[in-house]
Amino acid sequence: MEKVLSFAQDGKGYTSKPLDFEAMCMINEAHNDKNLYGPLMICRDAVDYLFEGIVSQEVMDNLDVSTRTYLCIELWGFYVEVLKS
């Protein structure tokens, strides 16, 4: 089953591209960066990458904190799940 992120904003629903190797590499690289702490900082760029071409950067930049947090935590869970498999 493909792992995708989704959220709704302003009455519109958005679904990301499926989790891929590039996103996993982005998260892994950030995870090893000693200047980034926790899944919110580690997954931020990968969340943007997965919605690239689907959601405008303006929408992504204006996500409320709870939506951005949800997406990062969900993606972190996907990352950990793939590492365990």
Side-chain angles (χ1 to χ4, degrees), residues 2-7 14-27 42-57 60 63 68 70-79 82:
E2 292 182 329
K3 296 183 182 316
V4 295
L5 300 170
S6 59
F7 71 95
Y14 301 98
T15 301
S16 73
K17 324 180 240 202
L19 179 66
D20 61 12
F21 187 71
E22 181 68 24
M24 288 292 292
C25 288
M26 291 173 79
I27 297 166
I42 291 169
C43 294
R44 181 181 177 97
D45 290 341
V47 166
D48 287 347
Y49 162 76
L50 289 173
F51 282 101
E52 222 170 65
I54 297 167
V55 179
S56 72
Q57 191 58 48
M60 293 305 290
L63 286 178
R68 174 66 76 169
Y70 166 78
L71 293 170
C72 289
I73 296 296
E74 188 78 5
L75 184 54
W76 178 255
F78 293 168
Y79 172 76
V82 170

